[in-house]
Amino acid sequence: MALVMFGIFHGMGYSPLAAMISEIFPTNVRYTGSSSAYQFGNSFLGGPASYVSADLGTINYLLYPVYTAILIIATIAFLLKSKESKGIEMEV
């Protein structure tokens, strides 16, 4: 059941990701910009997450949820700051 729930929530998180990242950049640099943003996020935030969680867990087991909450708050702040491109003429 946990694996099914993980699959559902993972899909809910990654489904709108491509559209959101591609809307951030103008069309002339969209491919490079979206790839760079995705790879940077995975490399510098997702990559060390396991090491950070292990190190924080050795200090205090409550520090990892705090680390996760900080990343979630930063993500929500970014989502609220990003603007909707619906109705905006995209350059070619």
Side-chain angles (χ1 to χ4, degrees):
M1 186 63 176
L3 188 59
V4 170
M5 293 301 291
F6 174 77
I8 290 170
F9 286 113
H10 185 268
M12 287 172 57
Y14 271 92
S15 295
L17 184 67
M20 188 194 75
I21 288 178
S22 67
E23 287 180 353
I24 295 172
F25 301 99
T27 54
N28 60 340
V29 293
R30 182 167 290 164
Y31 187 77
T32 303
S34 62
S35 175
S36 299
Y38 186 78
Q39 300 307 324
F40 178 82
N42 281 333
S43 299
F44 293 105
L45 292 177
S50 60
Y51 298 117
V52 170
S53 67
D55 289 341
L56 291 177
T58 59
I59 298 169
N60 187 347
Y61 70 94
L62 291 176
L63 288 178
Y64 181 66
V66 170
Y67 169 72
T68 305
I70 289 170
L71 289 180
I72 289 170
I73 290 169
T75 302
I76 291 172
F78 171 75
L79 288 174
L80 292 175
K81 189 176 183 285
S82 64
K83 54 187 171 182
E84 174 65 45
S85 65
K86 178 182 172 185
I88 297 175
E89 184 68 30
M90 296 289 183
E91 301 171 12
V92 177

